[in-house]
Amino acid sequence: MPTLWLDIEYEGTEFKGWARQPGLRTVQGELESALATILGEEVTLSVAGRTDAGVHAWGQVASLTIASPPPPDLARRVNAVGPDDVAVTAASPVRAGFDARRDALSRTYCYRVLARGSPSPFERERALWWPHPIDRDALAACATAIVGSHDFTAFTPTQTEHMRFERNVLRAEWVERARAEQEGGIICFWIEADAFMRNMVRILVGTMLDVAGGRRTVSAFTRLLEGAPREEAGETAPPHGLHLASVSY
Amino acid sequence: MPTLWLDIEYEGTEFKGWARQPGLRTVQGELESALATILGEEVTLSVAGRTDAGVHAWGQVASLTIASPPPPDLARRVNAVGPDDVAVTAASPVRAGFDARRDALSRTYCYRVLARGSPSPFERERALWWPHPIDRDALAACATAIVGSHDFTAFTPTQTEHMRFERNVLRAEWVERARAEQEGGIICFWIEADAFMRNMVRILVGTMLDVAGGRRTVSAFTRLLEGAPREEAGETAPPHGLHLASVSY
């Protein structure tokens, strides 16, 4: 029973998120369907980071166990039959028992903000346009406060599936740099943690933007990390700025 | 009669190019319509670089002369009424008589190539996916040969509107670097010239990719720059990799 590791990229705009749902176009649904076509058997993917509708992935990881050895050019074949807003960038054999979700040590997300007065046609679906004043020192201070083990109850919806609200954040920082070919304007919130709760990055970003605009202080933000209720935090930033950047094993 | 300088960005995918054409959705058509709505008068834009269908612009420049002083927040208002695949990033008063097309000293284009085995959902409409071997030294040698004044007859369609085929290329180079947040795979052909002929950058790129794949030698490429006929050059690379990067005045 070969086990496979898939590296996956997707542009989340036209997907109703990762998880397969009857009647909805999802990344898992599209990939499992393309894999079944190529492999000639039904498959079920285990994924490192389930993403919501509109969220993108640069470095998603999924695993599957199949009955027969796969063709050597599996990734190419899956990309040829699948839609073009998702791509398998690599498909490799991995040890039996490997599970992309259970074995992941950490996930890294990047939330992109377009911080300038005019919108950008190129960033419409990939960054939150924020034409408001931004106190970058305040953002940096919030990010510093996030690092470590905290109770993130304030940063996930109240009606939630989670049983415990503590998460260990290994890295959190705002990074500003020029886009590869265009000049600046994009600031990114990078966060790596052992695991994330639903909407956690998006509520963190929405709340930090309150601080960046002077509507909330850094110390008030910091106190939210001690198990404050959801209603004390800010709004949930929209999904299209969020990217699952990578997964560590 | 105030004259205005507009800095413009557009994602060319859904446009039939820059130039206004009856019944077609073009950048000029959409912008002139939005400007007329805000200014309350008909306007005609002069543009630095007319682009074809599917070609993008990061730093297009256009000018217009109007009857009455514009509102101070003209760019914001135009963006609010116009479609979201084009944006005016700045609108500034400029000396009377300024003409974005006639006064431009040079134009710089960037042609983006995704050089890796798998396609990328994020680059579908912004880079040519080229999963073939690429001889980077050969590309560099071609770029070096392009710099200077040459007869580019081979690099524009035979049935053309141009009267002279000499152009002065100020800069030409292939640049490889990581995308801002994702790892590599993109190589860009940057070219700056006093002026360009129709399809010139795209035919240069298509022909250089022949050289990069060993189907043509660097010296054969170099000879094309001496006025060879169109049929001796390679294919026209598709429009979606091409970006008008900037204009110098």
Side-chain angles (χ1 to χ4, degrees):
Chain A
M1 298 283 279
T3 300
L4 298 178
W5 168 314
L6 305 183
D7 289 307
I8 299 163
E9 248 187 65
Y10 49 87
E11 217 279 3
T13 311
E14 302 294 326
F15 289 110
K16 300 294 183 193
W18 169 269
R20 188 180 47 223
Q21 298 178 68
L24 295 182
R25 184 174 188 270
T26 69
V27 184
Q28 183 180 20
E30 293 290 329
L31 276 180
E32 288 181 352
S33 165
L35 284 160
T37 300
I38 301 303
L39 295 168
E41 58 177 292
E42 294 303 311
V43 300
T44 300
L45 294 171
S46 172
V47 76
R50 287 159 60 114
T51 50
D52 287 332
V55 174
H56 313 292
W58 297 326
Q60 180 67 280
V61 179
S63 59
L64 69 162
T65 298
I66 54 180
S68 315
D73 57 348
L74 177 64
R76 191 187 60 74
R77 291 194 193 201
V78 169
N79 293 333
V81 303
D84 64 1
D85 49 356
V86 55
V88 175
T89 56
S92 327
V94 66
R95 66 168 172 79
F98 173 77
D99 183 282
R101 177 174 191 180
R102 200 188 52 226
D103 293 342
L105 298 178
S106 72
R107 286 87 175 162
T108 300
Y109 283 88
C110 172
Y111 195 99
R112 304 177 75 245
V113 174
L114 177 65
R116 70 177 199 186
S118 63
S120 166
F122 298 99
E123 301 294 346
R124 276 176 292 168
E125 290 164 340
R126 312 208 184 145
L128 171 64
W129 176 40
W130 199 253
H132 312 293
I134 290 183
D135 178 340
R136 284 159 168 75
D137 292 337
L139 284 184
C142 289
T144 299
I146 290 170
V147 176
S149 196
H150 302 284
D151 181 330
F152 287 94
T153 300
F155 300 97
T156 196
T158 306
Q159 302 298 328
T160 185
E161 66 269 31
H162 304 291
M163 298 296 289
R164 44 175 284 278
F165 298 87
E166 200 149 292
R167 293 294 184 274
N168 185 28
V169 175
L170 306 166
R171 173 194 175 201
E173 61 177 324
W174 285 88
V175 177
E176 184 155 12
R177 61 172 159 176
R179 283 173 281 176
E181 291 94 20
Q182 290 184 267
E183 280 314 302
I186 292 282
I187 57 175
C188 294
F189 176 60
W190 286 88
I191 181 168
E192 177 181 6
D194 55 349
F196 288 86
M197 289 186 292
R198 201 153 102 73
N199 291 6
M200 180 172 150
V201 183
R202 292 164 55 191
I203 301 172
L204 283 168
V205 168
T207 311
M208 283 189 280
L209 289 173
D210 284 348
V211 181
R215 296 181 302 284
R216 192 186 285 269
T217 65
V218 172
S219 58
F221 176 85
T222 303
R223 282 195 299 275
L224 295 173
L225 297 164
E226 298 163 7
R230 169 68 187 91
E231 59 267 25
E232 291 188 14
E235 288 186 22
T236 307
H240 68 278
L242 187 59
H243 300 69
L244 174 55
S246 61
V247 184
S248 293
Y249 289 92
Chain B
M1 298 282 281
T3 300
L4 299 177
W5 168 313
L6 305 183
D7 289 306
I8 299 164
E9 248 186 64
Y10 50 88
E11 217 280 1
T13 312
E14 302 294 327
F15 289 109
K16 301 293 182 193
W18 169 269
R20 187 180 48 223
Q21 297 177 69
L24 296 181
R25 184 174 188 270
T26 69
V27 183
Q28 183 181 19
E30 293 290 329
L31 276 180
E32 288 180 352
S33 165
L35 284 160
T37 300
I38 302 303
L39 296 169
E41 59 177 291
E42 294 303 310
V43 299
T44 300
L45 294 172
S46 172
V47 75
R50 286 159 61 113
T51 51
D52 288 332
V55 174
H56 313 292
W58 296 326
Q60 180 67 280
V61 179
S63 59
L64 69 163
T65 298
I66 53 182
S68 315
D73 57 348
L74 177 63
R76 191 188 61 75
R77 290 195 195 201
V78 168
N79 294 333
V81 304
D84 64 1
D85 48 356
V86 54
V88 175
T89 57
S92 326
V94 67
R95 63 167 173 80
F98 172 77
D99 183 283
R101 178 173 191 180
R102 199 188 53 226
D103 294 342
L105 299 178
S106 72
R107 285 86 175 164
T108 300
Y109 283 88
C110 171
Y111 194 99
R112 303 177 75 244
V113 175
L114 177 65
R116 70 177 199 185
S118 63
S120 167
F122 297 99
E123 301 294 346
R124 277 175 292 169
E125 291 163 339
R126 310 204 187 149
L128 170 65
W129 176 39
W130 197 253
H132 312 292
I134 291 182
D135 178 341
R136 284 160 168 75
D137 293 337
L139 284 183
C142 289
T144 300
I146 291 170
V147 176
S149 197
H150 302 285
D151 181 332
F152 287 95
T153 301
F155 300 97
T156 196
T158 307
Q159 302 298 328
T160 187
E161 66 268 34
H162 304 291
M163 299 296 288
R164 46 175 282 277
F165 298 87
E166 199 148 294
R167 293 293 183 275
N168 185 27
V169 175
L170 305 166
R171 174 194 174 201
E173 61 176 324
W174 285 89
V175 176
E176 183 155 12
R177 62 173 158 175
R179 284 173 281 178
E181 291 94 19
Q182 289 185 266
E183 281 314 302
I186 293 283
I187 57 176
C188 294
F189 176 61
W190 286 87
I191 181 167
E192 177 181 4
D194 55 350
F196 288 86
M197 291 186 291
R198 202 154 100 75
N199 291 5
M200 180 171 148
V201 183
R202 292 165 55 193
I203 302 173
L204 282 168
V205 169
T207 311
M208 282 189 279
L209 289 174
D210 285 346
V211 181
R215 294 180 303 284
R216 191 186 286 269
T217 65
V218 172
S219 58
F221 176 85
T222 302
R223 282 194 300 273
L224 295 172
L225 297 164
E226 297 162 9
R230 170 67 186 93
E231 59 268 26
E232 291 188 14
E235 289 186 20
T236 308
H240 69 278
L242 188 59
H243 299 70
L244 174 55
S246 62
V247 185
S248 293
Y249 290 91

